[in-house]
Amino acid sequence: MLTNPLHLIKGVVGRTFYAIPRRPERIQIEITNRCNYTCGMCPRESFNLPEQDISLDLFKKIIDRIDSIYNITLTGWGEPLLHPELVDMILYTKNKGHHVGVTTNGLLLASFIEKFLETLDKLTISLDSVKEGHGVTDGHPSNMVVQKNIESLLHDRGNRRKPTVTIQITMHDKSQCLDTIRFAGEVGADRVYLVRLNNQLGNNGCKRPSLKEELTIYKMAEEIAEKYGLQVDNNYTAFENRLLRLFYKQLRPVMYQFDKYCPKPYDYLYINIDGKATPCCDLPRYEVGNLLKRDIDEIWHGENIHYFREHQNDVCGNCDALRLKHLY
């Protein structure tokens, strides 16, 4: 985390000119590709991933290979709460000194609340709509069970600071986003994360806002968030450091139009259920190294990931996350 003006300047310059940091900030580990939802906007089926869980033994071997302290998220293209050994994985990772997060659709959250309050640093819950009338048929369904589970977790957390709770919202339209942000504020969540639909990754051309509408949503979202003390982020502003977030929020329209580098793999690695590393969860089988054979530093500075950075647009193919100015 950046702690002084020099580090802040270094962080801004590094991200703007894509000067890769010495090590990734975040590591995501795919622990299962089984899911209890079928969402139209989710590309998991188009990836043809095996619907299986990582074994606890293999998971421990992966964690043992990560010898520095990292922010680790235990989530893949599935619902992590379906994994029968999730709590053991959290405890093992925590005992190694890492900061641990989980991303869930929240449907099974009720039976995990006590354990999560005791162990997790971060919890992200995907919720696209809080009203049936929103007409969001392609995203995470409006589900009163999930909403009640969120309310229960935040009520039981009380004045404790952990886990920090993020409501993750896939943007379909303005009212759907803003109503869900209000819900997040009313129940006491810490953060909302707005996810832009990528219409080239097997989500069947789901409806998404135009670039102009997206920027309007961000502006109005931040007005609502200020009322409730929420943090609002998307890919361009998801920094641990508050000043970096503010800087990139101001630059967001410019970055959307001209940035040729995707922000996601800038400081991030994804480890799949075989222990293989990829620079993005949307490239689940594009291997840049095997964590069971090479350590994080070797992979992060290796030839394979260097090739990816040099040829990112070619490798990512149909992903349209950074082709906004050509789409509208």
Side-chain angles (χ1 to χ4, degrees):
M1 185 178 295
L2 305 172
T3 57
N4 61 48
L6 182 61
H7 288 168
L8 174 62
I9 293 171
K10 184 178 179 181
V12 169
V13 172
R15 171 62 191 89
T16 303
F17 294 98
Y18 216 64
I20 300 300
R22 182 177 60 85
R23 49 175 277 182
E25 170 68 24
R26 300 165 293 139
I27 295 175
Q28 183 174 340
I29 301 177
E30 179 183 88
I31 65 170
T32 184
N33 288 314
R34 296 185 297 122
C35 194
N36 50 1
Y37 273 169
T38 302
C39 302
M41 52 74 179
C42 181
R44 60 188 296 270
E45 291 187 9
S46 68
F47 290 150
N48 295 316
L49 302 175
E51 291 200 352
Q52 64 187 63
D53 301 337
I54 194 172
S55 70
L56 182 59
D57 181 61
L58 179 56
F59 177 83
K60 289 180 176 180
K61 290 178 180 177
I62 290 172
I63 295 298
D64 289 344
R65 297 283 296 178
I66 305 174
D67 53 3
S68 299
I69 304 304
Y70 283 94
N71 294 308
I72 294 179
T73 301
L74 307 182
T75 299
W77 284 105
E79 171 50 50
L81 274 58
L82 290 174
H83 199 299
E85 295 171 300
L86 171 62
V87 174
D88 292 331
M89 292 178 176
I90 294 170
L91 291 172
Y92 191 82
T93 309
K94 287 290 293 182
N95 287 337
K96 294 291 183 176
H98 301 290
H99 306 285
V100 183
V102 166
T103 300
T104 174
N105 59 39
L107 194 60
L108 303 176
L109 183 58
S111 60
F112 287 85
I113 288 176
E114 184 177 352
K115 282 294 184 183
F116 283 179
L117 291 175
E118 293 174 354
T119 60
L120 278 185
D121 296 290
K122 296 181 181 182
L123 178 64
T124 299
I125 304 158
S126 296
L127 181 68
D128 289 346
S129 175
V130 292
K131 294 181 180 178
E132 294 290 343
H134 278 145
V136 180
T137 58
D138 300 317
H140 296 88
S142 173
N143 191 311
M144 290 304 299
V145 172
V146 175
Q147 293 175 52
K148 289 183 180 299
N149 287 344
I150 294 171
E151 292 173 0
S152 296
L153 179 135
L154 288 164
H155 176 271
D156 291 353
R157 186 183 69 168
N159 294 324
R160 285 176 284 185
R161 300 182 64 182
K162 289 185 178 181
T164 57
V165 175
T166 295
I167 305 300
Q168 182 166 283
I169 305 165
T170 305
M171 295 190 293
H172 295 266
D173 62 54
K174 183 170 71 174
S175 64
Q176 159 255 337
C177 289
L178 300 184
D179 284 343
T180 308
I181 293 168
R182 289 189 188 96
F183 167 80
E186 289 168 358
V187 299
D190 304 294
R191 175 177 178 260
V192 293
Y193 188 83
L194 296 169
V195 179
R196 181 178 180 275
L197 274 168
N198 188 325
N199 274 351
Q200 302 301 318
L201 289 181
N203 58 23
N204 302 315
C206 300
K207 177 187 174 185
R208 68 177 176 196
S210 68
L211 173 57
K212 182 178 179 180
E213 290 170 328
E214 282 186 20
L215 294 174
T216 299
I217 290 171
Y218 294 139
K219 180 179 179 181
M220 297 182 71
E222 286 163 4
E223 292 172 357
I224 295 170
E226 185 176 358
K227 173 182 175 181
Y228 292 104
L230 278 169
Q231 175 182 325
V232 180
D233 283 316
N234 71 347
N235 270 354
Y236 280 99
T237 62
F239 292 96
E240 294 288 329
N241 183 269
R242 182 179 63 85
L243 293 177
L244 272 181
R245 290 198 303 272
L246 292 174
F247 179 84
Y248 278 100
K249 281 179 180 179
Q250 296 303 314
L251 279 186
R252 181 161 44 203
V254 176
M255 302 294 281
Y256 261 33
Q257 292 290 344
F258 300 109
D259 194 356
K260 67 177 181 177
Y261 295 111
C262 179
K264 192 166 189 176
Y266 172 68
D267 61 357
Y268 164 94
L269 270 181
Y270 184 89
I271 312 298
N272 67 30
I273 54 175
D274 301 315
K276 297 174 183 177
T278 178
C280 180
C281 62
D282 290 331
L283 297 168
R285 293 299 177 262
Y286 179 84
E287 184 182 349
V288 294
N290 190 321
L291 193 55
L292 300 177
K293 300 177 181 178
R294 306 176 68 190
D295 62 31
I296 291 289
D297 286 345
E298 289 179 299
I299 294 172
W300 187 247
H301 297 287
E303 181 179 344
N304 290 342
I305 201 167
H306 178 73
Y307 177 90
F308 167 78
R309 292 169 185 146
E310 290 292 315
H311 302 86
Q312 192 175 122
N313 290 335
D314 294 332
V315 174
C316 294
N318 291 330
C319 179
D320 67 5
L322 282 179
R323 298 179 182 176
L324 302 181
K325 63 182 178 181
H326 303 300
L327 294 175
Y328 304 111

PDB file of all heavy atoms in Angstrom, residues 202-230:
ATOM      1  N   GLY A 202     -19.242 -14.652 -24.207  1.00  0.00           N
ATOM      2  CA  GLY A 202     -20.235 -15.710 -24.064  1.00  0.00           C
ATOM      3  C   GLY A 202     -21.437 -15.350 -23.235  1.00  0.00           C
ATOM      4  O   GLY A 202     -22.145 -16.234 -22.768  1.00  0.00           O
ATOM      5  N   ASN A 203     -21.727 -14.049 -23.037  1.00  0.00           N
ATOM      6  CA  ASN A 203     -22.889 -13.710 -22.223  1.00  0.00           C
ATOM      7  C   ASN A 203     -24.100 -13.351 -23.077  1.00  0.00           C
ATOM      8  O   ASN A 203     -24.988 -12.629 -22.633  1.00  0.00           O
ATOM      9  CB  ASN A 203     -22.565 -12.580 -21.232  1.00  0.00           C
ATOM     10  CG  ASN A 203     -22.080 -11.321 -21.924  1.00  0.00           C
ATOM     11  OD1 ASN A 203     -22.354 -11.108 -23.097  1.00  0.00           O
ATOM     12  ND2 ASN A 203     -21.361 -10.498 -21.194  1.00  0.00           N
ATOM     13  N   ASN A 204     -24.127 -13.852 -24.298  1.00  0.00           N
ATOM     14  CA  ASN A 204     -25.321 -13.818 -25.142  1.00  0.00           C
ATOM     15  C   ASN A 204     -25.812 -12.408 -25.455  1.00  0.00           C
ATOM     16  O   ASN A 204     -27.004 -12.185 -25.631  1.00  0.00           O
ATOM     17  CB  ASN A 204     -26.464 -14.608 -24.462  1.00  0.00           C
ATOM     18  CG  ASN A 204     -26.079 -16.047 -24.198  1.00  0.00           C
ATOM     19  OD1 ASN A 204     -25.508 -16.706 -25.053  1.00  0.00           O
ATOM     20  ND2 ASN A 204     -26.359 -16.538 -23.002  1.00  0.00           N
ATOM     21  N   GLY A 205     -24.905 -11.463 -25.548  1.00  0.00           N
ATOM     22  CA  GLY A 205     -25.282 -10.105 -25.936  1.00  0.00           C
ATOM     23  C   GLY A 205     -26.228  -9.440 -24.969  1.00  0.00           C
ATOM     24  O   GLY A 205     -27.169  -8.749 -25.381  1.00  0.00           O
ATOM     25  N   CYS A 206     -26.025  -9.650 -23.679  1.00  0.00           N
ATOM     26  CA  CYS A 206     -26.907  -9.060 -22.672  1.00  0.00           C
ATOM     27  C   CYS A 206     -26.899  -7.537 -22.772  1.00  0.00           C
ATOM     28  O   CYS A 206     -25.903  -6.924 -23.156  1.00  0.00           O
ATOM     29  CB  CYS A 206     -26.474  -9.475 -21.267  1.00  0.00           C
ATOM     30  SG  CYS A 206     -26.504 -11.253 -21.010  1.00  0.00           S
ATOM     31  N   LYS A 207     -28.001  -6.957 -22.388  1.00  0.00           N
ATOM     32  CA  LYS A 207     -28.120  -5.505 -22.412  1.00  0.00           C
ATOM     33  C   LYS A 207     -27.107  -4.873 -21.455  1.00  0.00           C
ATOM     34  O   LYS A 207     -26.909  -5.342 -20.353  1.00  0.00           O
ATOM     35  CB  LYS A 207     -29.535  -5.096 -21.989  1.00  0.00           C
ATOM     36  CG  LYS A 207     -29.724  -3.590 -21.904  1.00  0.00           C
ATOM     37  CD  LYS A 207     -31.078  -3.246 -21.313  1.00  0.00           C
ATOM     38  CE  LYS A 207     -31.207  -1.741 -21.082  1.00  0.00           C
ATOM     39  NZ  LYS A 207     -32.472  -1.396 -20.404  1.00  0.00           N
ATOM     40  N   ARG A 208     -26.483  -3.782 -21.917  1.00  0.00           N
ATOM     41  CA  ARG A 208     -25.618  -3.022 -21.045  1.00  0.00           C
ATOM     42  C   ARG A 208     -25.749  -1.543 -21.398  1.00  0.00           C
ATOM     43  O   ARG A 208     -26.135  -1.192 -22.517  1.00  0.00           O
ATOM     44  CB  ARG A 208     -24.166  -3.463 -21.174  1.00  0.00           C
ATOM     45  CG  ARG A 208     -23.528  -3.130 -22.501  1.00  0.00           C
ATOM     46  CD  ARG A 208     -22.060  -3.528 -22.510  1.00  0.00           C
ATOM     47  NE  ARG A 208     -21.462  -3.310 -23.810  1.00  0.00           N
ATOM     48  CZ  ARG A 208     -20.307  -3.838 -24.181  1.00  0.00           C
ATOM     49  NH1 ARG A 208     -19.651  -4.622 -23.355  1.00  0.00           N
ATOM     50  NH2 ARG A 208     -19.815  -3.592 -25.373  1.00  0.00           N
ATOM     51  N   PRO A 209     -25.417  -0.674 -20.453  1.00  0.00           N
ATOM     52  CA  PRO A 209     -25.523   0.756 -20.736  1.00  0.00           C
ATOM     53  C   PRO A 209     -24.493   1.195 -21.773  1.00  0.00           C
ATOM     54  O   PRO A 209     -23.452   0.556 -21.957  1.00  0.00           O
ATOM     55  CB  PRO A 209     -25.227   1.416 -19.379  1.00  0.00           C
ATOM     56  CG  PRO A 209     -25.376   0.326 -18.367  1.00  0.00           C
ATOM     57  CD  PRO A 209     -25.023  -0.945 -19.076  1.00  0.00           C
ATOM     58  N   SER A 210     -24.783   2.313 -22.433  1.00  0.00           N
ATOM     59  CA  SER A 210     -23.797   2.919 -23.312  1.00  0.00           C
ATOM     60  C   SER A 210     -22.706   3.543 -22.458  1.00  0.00           C
ATOM     61  O   SER A 210     -22.838   3.679 -21.232  1.00  0.00           O
ATOM     62  CB  SER A 210     -24.457   3.997 -24.177  1.00  0.00           C
ATOM     63  OG  SER A 210     -24.855   5.095 -23.360  1.00  0.00           O
ATOM     64  N   LEU A 211     -21.615   3.946 -23.106  1.00  0.00           N
ATOM     65  CA  LEU A 211     -20.531   4.580 -22.371  1.00  0.00           C
ATOM     66  C   LEU A 211     -21.020   5.826 -21.650  1.00  0.00           C
ATOM     67  O   LEU A 211     -20.684   6.053 -20.485  1.00  0.00           O
ATOM     68  CB  LEU A 211     -19.393   4.939 -23.326  1.00  0.00           C
ATOM     69  CG  LEU A 211     -18.234   5.759 -22.740  1.00  0.00           C
ATOM     70  CD1 LEU A 211     -17.611   5.038 -21.561  1.00  0.00           C
ATOM     71  CD2 LEU A 211     -17.188   6.043 -23.817  1.00  0.00           C
ATOM     72  N   LYS A 212     -21.838   6.637 -22.329  1.00  0.00           N
ATOM     73  CA  LYS A 212     -22.379   7.849 -21.704  1.00  0.00           C
ATOM     74  C   LYS A 212     -23.216   7.498 -20.482  1.00  0.00           C
ATOM     75  O   LYS A 212     -23.107   8.138 -19.427  1.00  0.00           O
ATOM     76  CB  LYS A 212     -23.216   8.624 -22.714  1.00  0.00           C
ATOM     77  CG  LYS A 212     -23.788   9.926 -22.176  1.00  0.00           C
ATOM     78  CD  LYS A 212     -24.578  10.669 -23.247  1.00  0.00           C
ATOM     79  CE  LYS A 212     -25.172  11.957 -22.682  1.00  0.00           C
ATOM     80  NZ  LYS A 212     -25.958  12.684 -23.729  1.00  0.00           N
ATOM     81  N   GLU A 213     -24.042   6.463 -20.611  1.00  0.00           N
ATOM     82  CA  GLU A 213     -24.873   6.036 -19.483  1.00  0.00           C
ATOM     83  C   GLU A 213     -24.022   5.488 -18.346  1.00  0.00           C
ATOM     84  O   GLU A 213     -24.320   5.719 -17.169  1.00  0.00           O
ATOM     85  CB  GLU A 213     -25.872   4.975 -19.951  1.00  0.00           C
ATOM     86  CG  GLU A 213     -26.949   5.524 -20.869  1.00  0.00           C
ATOM     87  CD  GLU A 213     -27.770   4.424 -21.517  1.00  0.00           C
ATOM     88  OE1 GLU A 213     -27.220   3.333 -21.783  1.00  0.00           O
ATOM     89  OE2 GLU A 213     -28.957   4.660 -21.769  1.00  0.00           O
ATOM     90  N   GLU A 214     -22.964   4.750 -18.682  1.00  0.00           N
ATOM     91  CA  GLU A 214     -22.072   4.225 -17.650  1.00  0.00           C
ATOM     92  C   GLU A 214     -21.472   5.359 -16.820  1.00  0.00           C
ATOM     93  O   GLU A 214     -21.447   5.301 -15.590  1.00  0.00           O
ATOM     94  CB  GLU A 214     -20.942   3.411 -18.283  1.00  0.00           C
ATOM     95  CG  GLU A 214     -21.341   2.022 -18.716  1.00  0.00           C
ATOM     96  CD  GLU A 214     -20.156   1.214 -19.195  1.00  0.00           C
ATOM     97  OE1 GLU A 214     -19.006   1.583 -18.850  1.00  0.00           O
ATOM     98  OE2 GLU A 214     -20.352   0.227 -19.904  1.00  0.00           O
ATOM     99  N   LEU A 215     -20.988   6.378 -17.496  1.00  0.00           N
ATOM    100  CA  LEU A 215     -20.371   7.491 -16.781  1.00  0.00           C
ATOM    101  C   LEU A 215     -21.394   8.231 -15.930  1.00  0.00           C
ATOM    102  O   LEU A 215     -21.079   8.713 -14.835  1.00  0.00           O
ATOM    103  CB  LEU A 215     -19.696   8.434 -17.776  1.00  0.00           C
ATOM    104  CG  LEU A 215     -18.501   7.830 -18.525  1.00  0.00           C
ATOM    105  CD1 LEU A 215     -17.994   8.785 -19.598  1.00  0.00           C
ATOM    106  CD2 LEU A 215     -17.382   7.463 -17.566  1.00  0.00           C
ATOM    107  N   THR A 216     -22.646   8.296 -16.406  1.00  0.00           N
ATOM    108  CA  THR A 216     -23.713   8.886 -15.592  1.00  0.00           C
ATOM    109  C   THR A 216     -23.969   8.037 -14.351  1.00  0.00           C
ATOM    110  O   THR A 216     -24.161   8.562 -13.248  1.00  0.00           O
ATOM    111  CB  THR A 216     -25.002   9.014 -16.421  1.00  0.00           C
ATOM    112  OG1 THR A 216     -24.769   9.865 -17.541  1.00  0.00           O
ATOM    113  CG2 THR A 216     -26.141   9.588 -15.579  1.00  0.00           C
ATOM    114  N   ILE A 217     -23.974   6.722 -14.536  1.00  0.00           N
ATOM    115  CA  ILE A 217     -24.172   5.820 -13.392  1.00  0.00           C
ATOM    116  C   ILE A 217     -23.074   6.030 -12.353  1.00  0.00           C
ATOM    117  O   ILE A 217     -23.342   6.120 -11.153  1.00  0.00           O
ATOM    118  CB  ILE A 217     -24.213   4.352 -13.857  1.00  0.00           C
ATOM    119  CG1 ILE A 217     -25.504   4.091 -14.643  1.00  0.00           C
ATOM    120  CG2 ILE A 217     -24.103   3.397 -12.665  1.00  0.00           C
ATOM    121  CD1 ILE A 217     -25.534   2.742 -15.336  1.00  0.00           C
ATOM    122  N   TYR A 218     -21.821   6.127 -12.802  1.00  0.00           N
ATOM    123  CA  TYR A 218     -20.718   6.335 -11.860  1.00  0.00           C
ATOM    124  C   TYR A 218     -20.888   7.632 -11.076  1.00  0.00           C
ATOM    125  O   TYR A 218     -20.679   7.677  -9.865  1.00  0.00           O
ATOM    126  CB  TYR A 218     -19.381   6.356 -12.602  1.00  0.00           C
ATOM    127  CG  TYR A 218     -18.997   5.047 -13.225  1.00  0.00           C
ATOM    128  CD1 TYR A 218     -18.423   5.009 -14.495  1.00  0.00           C
ATOM    129  CD2 TYR A 218     -19.202   3.840 -12.567  1.00  0.00           C
ATOM    130  CE1 TYR A 218     -18.080   3.806 -15.079  1.00  0.00           C
ATOM    131  CE2 TYR A 218     -18.852   2.641 -13.153  1.00  0.00           C
ATOM    132  CZ  TYR A 218     -18.291   2.626 -14.401  1.00  0.00           C
ATOM    133  OH  TYR A 218     -17.946   1.433 -14.982  1.00  0.00           O
ATOM    134  N   LYS A 219     -21.269   8.682 -11.781  1.00  0.00           N
ATOM    135  CA  LYS A 219     -21.442   9.980 -11.115  1.00  0.00           C
ATOM    136  C   LYS A 219     -22.550   9.916 -10.069  1.00  0.00           C
ATOM    137  O   LYS A 219     -22.373  10.358  -8.925  1.00  0.00           O
ATOM    138  CB  LYS A 219     -21.750  11.054 -12.152  1.00  0.00           C
ATOM    139  CG  LYS A 219     -21.939  12.441 -11.549  1.00  0.00           C
ATOM    140  CD  LYS A 219     -22.227  13.486 -12.624  1.00  0.00           C
ATOM    141  CE  LYS A 219     -22.447  14.864 -11.983  1.00  0.00           C
ATOM    142  NZ  LYS A 219     -22.746  15.894 -13.023  1.00  0.00           N
ATOM    143  N   MET A 220     -23.690   9.348 -10.441  1.00  0.00           N
ATOM    144  CA  MET A 220     -24.816   9.266  -9.512  1.00  0.00           C
ATOM    145  C   MET A 220     -24.519   8.272  -8.390  1.00  0.00           C
ATOM    146  O   MET A 220     -24.941   8.473  -7.246  1.00  0.00           O
ATOM    147  CB  MET A 220     -26.082   8.874 -10.274  1.00  0.00           C
ATOM    148  CG  MET A 220     -26.498   9.903 -11.313  1.00  0.00           C
ATOM    149  SD  MET A 220     -28.031   9.474 -12.172  1.00  0.00           S
ATOM    150  CE  MET A 220     -29.229   9.720 -10.846  1.00  0.00           C
ATOM    151  N   ALA A 221     -23.793   7.203  -8.720  1.00  0.00           N
ATOM    152  CA  ALA A 221     -23.426   6.219  -7.702  1.00  0.00           C
ATOM    153  C   ALA A 221     -22.580   6.863  -6.612  1.00  0.00           C
ATOM    154  O   ALA A 221     -22.771   6.593  -5.415  1.00  0.00           O
ATOM    155  CB  ALA A 221     -22.671   5.061  -8.339  1.00  0.00           C
ATOM    156  N   GLU A 222     -21.655   7.713  -7.011  1.00  0.00           N
ATOM    157  CA  GLU A 222     -20.779   8.353  -6.031  1.00  0.00           C
ATOM    158  C   GLU A 222     -21.536   9.357  -5.169  1.00  0.00           C
ATOM    159  O   GLU A 222     -21.221   9.546  -3.998  1.00  0.00           O
ATOM    160  CB  GLU A 222     -19.586   8.985  -6.753  1.00  0.00           C
ATOM    161  CG  GLU A 222     -18.589   7.920  -7.220  1.00  0.00           C
ATOM    162  CD  GLU A 222     -17.625   8.415  -8.277  1.00  0.00           C
ATOM    163  OE1 GLU A 222     -17.662   9.620  -8.605  1.00  0.00           O
ATOM    164  OE2 GLU A 222     -16.837   7.589  -8.778  1.00  0.00           O
ATOM    165  N   GLU A 223     -22.577   9.968  -5.735  1.00  0.00           N
ATOM    166  CA  GLU A 223     -23.418  10.879  -4.942  1.00  0.00           C
ATOM    167  C   GLU A 223     -24.180  10.099  -3.872  1.00  0.00           C
ATOM    168  O   GLU A 223     -24.283  10.537  -2.717  1.00  0.00           O
ATOM    169  CB  GLU A 223     -24.385  11.620  -5.862  1.00  0.00           C
ATOM    170  CG  GLU A 223     -23.695  12.611  -6.796  1.00  0.00           C
ATOM    171  CD  GLU A 223     -24.647  13.184  -7.839  1.00  0.00           C
ATOM    172  OE1 GLU A 223     -25.829  12.757  -7.868  1.00  0.00           O
ATOM    173  OE2 GLU A 223     -24.216  14.053  -8.630  1.00  0.00           O
ATOM    174  N   ILE A 224     -24.720   8.952  -4.257  1.00  0.00           N
ATOM    175  CA  ILE A 224     -25.426   8.109  -3.270  1.00  0.00           C
ATOM    176  C   ILE A 224     -24.435   7.580  -2.236  1.00  0.00           C
ATOM    177  O   ILE A 224     -24.715   7.580  -1.028  1.00  0.00           O
ATOM    178  CB  ILE A 224     -26.128   6.933  -3.988  1.00  0.00           C
ATOM    179  CG1 ILE A 224     -27.220   7.453  -4.917  1.00  0.00           C
ATOM    180  CG2 ILE A 224     -26.720   5.955  -2.964  1.00  0.00           C
ATOM    181  CD1 ILE A 224     -27.795   6.378  -5.832  1.00  0.00           C
ATOM    182  N   ALA A 225     -23.284   7.129  -2.715  1.00  0.00           N
ATOM    183  CA  ALA A 225     -22.296   6.543  -1.818  1.00  0.00           C
ATOM    184  C   ALA A 225     -21.811   7.545  -0.781  1.00  0.00           C
ATOM    185  O   ALA A 225     -21.555   7.184   0.375  1.00  0.00           O
ATOM    186  CB  ALA A 225     -21.111   6.019  -2.626  1.00  0.00           C
ATOM    187  N   GLU A 226     -21.680   8.794  -1.181  1.00  0.00           N
ATOM    188  CA  GLU A 226     -21.228   9.813  -0.236  1.00  0.00           C
ATOM    189  C   GLU A 226     -22.206   9.960   0.925  1.00  0.00           C
ATOM    190  O   GLU A 226     -21.804  10.155   2.073  1.00  0.00           O
ATOM    191  CB  GLU A 226     -21.062  11.152  -0.959  1.00  0.00           C
ATOM    192  CG  GLU A 226     -20.480  12.247  -0.088  1.00  0.00           C
ATOM    193  CD  GLU A 226     -20.243  13.535  -0.851  1.00  0.00           C
ATOM    194  OE1 GLU A 226     -20.494  13.566  -2.067  1.00  0.00           O
ATOM    195  OE2 GLU A 226     -19.803  14.527  -0.220  1.00  0.00           O
ATOM    196  N   LYS A 227     -23.487   9.828   0.629  1.00  0.00           N
ATOM    197  CA  LYS A 227     -24.515   9.923   1.667  1.00  0.00           C
ATOM    198  C   LYS A 227     -24.342   8.828   2.712  1.00  0.00           C
ATOM    199  O   LYS A 227     -24.543   9.054   3.913  1.00  0.00           O
ATOM    200  CB  LYS A 227     -25.890   9.834   1.019  1.00  0.00           C
ATOM    201  CG  LYS A 227     -27.042   9.754   2.015  1.00  0.00           C
ATOM    202  CD  LYS A 227     -28.368   9.611   1.290  1.00  0.00           C
ATOM    203  CE  LYS A 227     -29.521   9.418   2.286  1.00  0.00           C
ATOM    204  NZ  LYS A 227     -30.823   9.245   1.581  1.00  0.00           N
ATOM    205  N   TYR A 228     -23.964   7.636   2.275  1.00  0.00           N
ATOM    206  CA  TYR A 228     -23.881   6.484   3.171  1.00  0.00           C
ATOM    207  C   TYR A 228     -22.455   6.162   3.624  1.00  0.00           C
ATOM    208  O   TYR A 228     -22.262   5.230   4.411  1.00  0.00           O
ATOM    209  CB  TYR A 228     -24.473   5.249   2.479  1.00  0.00           C
ATOM    210  CG  TYR A 228     -25.954   5.325   2.250  1.00  0.00           C
ATOM    211  CD1 TYR A 228     -26.463   5.589   0.977  1.00  0.00           C
ATOM    212  CD2 TYR A 228     -26.847   5.135   3.291  1.00  0.00           C
ATOM    213  CE1 TYR A 228     -27.834   5.649   0.748  1.00  0.00           C
ATOM    214  CE2 TYR A 228     -28.222   5.190   3.072  1.00  0.00           C
ATOM    215  CZ  TYR A 228     -28.706   5.454   1.800  1.00  0.00           C
ATOM    216  OH  TYR A 228     -30.060   5.515   1.589  1.00  0.00           O
ATOM    217  N   GLY A 229     -21.475   6.877   3.122  1.00  0.00           N
ATOM    218  CA  GLY A 229     -20.090   6.568   3.473  1.00  0.00           C
ATOM    219  C   GLY A 229     -19.564   5.337   2.777  1.00  0.00           C
ATOM    220  O   GLY A 229     -18.684   4.642   3.293  1.00  0.00           O
ATOM    221  N   LEU A 230     -20.090   5.056   1.581  1.00  0.00           N
ATOM    222  CA  LEU A 230     -19.660   3.907   0.798  1.00  0.00           C
ATOM    223  C   LEU A 230     -18.478   4.269  -0.093  1.00  0.00           C
ATOM    224  O   LEU A 230     -18.322   5.418  -0.501  1.00  0.00           O
ATOM    225  CB  LEU A 230     -20.792   3.433  -0.119  1.00  0.00           C
ATOM    226  CG  LEU A 230     -21.892   2.540   0.441  1.00  0.00           C
ATOM    227  CD1 LEU A 230     -23.016   2.435  -0.579  1.00  0.00           C
ATOM    228  CD2 LEU A 230     -21.359   1.162   0.772  1.00  0.00           C
TER     229      LEU A 230
END
